[in-house]
Structure formats: C-alpha cells, structure tokens
Amino acid sequence: MFIEGGSFAVTAVDGTGLFDPAAHGMAPRAISTSCYHGHVGRYAVVEQRLTLRELQLGSAAEPPPLAGVRPRQDEDESWHYRGLELPIDFTGRLLIGRGNLADRPYLTMGFRPAWLYPDVRELTFQAGALLSATDCSAALAEVRAAVAATATRPAPGEETRDWIDRTFSLTYAYSWPGRPQ
C-alpha cells in the first residue's frame, strides 16, 4: 500500500471490494508456498481514491490484459502487471503498518500483525473513496506491550494448525488483539 509518500503493509481487512482476479476472468494458481491464493496486489491511494498499481499473478498461461496493461513474466514464472491505475471500489477498513521495531518478537510465518509495526494507520473507504486515515500507532504500542511475549506462538490449548491459519489471516482480531469492534 502506498500512501502519504510511503509504503505500508496491509495487516488487516474489514470490508468488501478489494481486487478479485475471478471478476476479471483470471484463475490464479499458487505462486509459491507463501502465496497459495495466487496473487499479490499493490495498492495506492491517489487523489483520495484507492487504486491497484501492480499485480503479481500465478498462471500457467499468459493472462489477459488488465486495464489496458499486458503482463510480463517474471523469473519465478509468475506474471506481473506494472503501471496499473485500476480504481478499486473497496468499502470498509484497512489497517496498514510500516517500519521495524528493534526489539520485535520473531514471527516464523504468516502475515505480520499491526502490533509488530511502529507506524500504524487505519484507512476507511466508501466505494473506493478515502474517508479517513487515523494514526493508531500509540494504541498498537500498548497492545504490543501486552501481547508480545505470547502472540507469536499458539495459545495454551490452541491446535498448531489453528494458530497457523490465524497467522495467515488478515483479520482485525489477529492484527489488533483486544480491539473493541
């Protein structure tokens, strides 16, 4: 996610309308063991609107052009669309984070939750229009202090498979534990 002149990672999604390859006639296949769903999108907020800037797609054959852009095959044999300006009609919230903590706990797999970033924002959209961008860094620092010692491994009694599934989720419950909904 590119916003305010910087690059952020999406840590949680609550809403509908992010890019869906099937809606564009694409049937992605796994890119690697770390990307079974077969696509990675890079979004940006441009003039207060959410857009898809880049797309990496796993596909056996060359996929169709997207928004007038033809894909190019990368060394890993996935397809990459660069220079997109595809409007995204997302409605909901995105939690994004950036930066590294000197003393951050080591997470062996999955997505890094928001509490592992020093700079965190919550973006709210309506049909792709940015309504608000709230700095949540201080609140997530408090969460980090409370959960850092235990959140990077299965909870007592939690099945390892359930913990793995949780670490690969983009839910608010995983990314911001204890946040009132």
Side-chain angles (χ1 to χ4, degrees):
M1 167 72 65
F2 190 78
I3 186 172
E4 298 175 358
S7 185
F8 288 77
V10 175
T11 68
V13 177
D14 178 27
T16 59
L18 288 179
F19 180 77
D20 177 9
H24 295 274
M26 301 171 175
R29 67 174 189 181
I31 294 171
S32 67
T33 57
S34 64
C35 187
Y36 284 113
H37 63 275
H39 72 283
V40 177
R42 289 178 182 79
Y43 297 92
V45 175
V46 178
E47 296 179 3
Q48 303 301 99
R49 300 275 318 158
L50 185 63
T51 62
L52 181 66
R53 280 268 175 95
E54 292 184 24
L55 176 67
Q56 182 183 9
L57 185 80
S59 179
E62 181 176 346
L66 181 61
V69 175
R70 294 188 62 86
R72 295 197 172 196
Q73 197 166 32
D74 289 340
E75 304 82 46
D76 66 0
E77 299 188 13
S78 65
W79 295 88
H80 207 125
Y81 295 84
R82 291 180 176 88
L84 292 169
E85 291 296 331
L86 183 66
I88 301 297
D89 287 333
F90 177 76
T91 295
R93 303 175 297 163
L94 297 177
L95 198 58
I96 60 175
R98 72 174 168 184
N100 290 304
L101 299 166
D103 61 345
R104 84 174 165 96
Y106 181 66
L107 184 64
T108 58
M109 66 181 66
F111 300 116
R112 282 175 58 188
W115 61 266
L116 280 176
Y117 291 95
D119 186 5
V120 181
R121 314 288 169 83
E122 182 176 57
L123 309 178
T124 303
F125 293 92
Q126 179 65 45
L130 180 65
L131 301 179
S132 66
T134 306
D135 188 337
C136 303
S137 304
L140 270 297
E142 290 178 20
V143 169
R144 181 171 42 256
V147 302
T150 59
T152 58
R153 60 183 177 274
E158 182 179 25
E159 293 289 326
T160 301
R161 183 73 208 154
D162 293 340
W163 176 76
I164 291 170
D165 289 345
R166 190 164 43 92
T167 67
F168 280 97
S169 77
L170 288 173
T171 64
Y172 265 73
Y174 170 66
S175 197
W176 191 339
R179 180 178 191 264
Q181 297 299 320

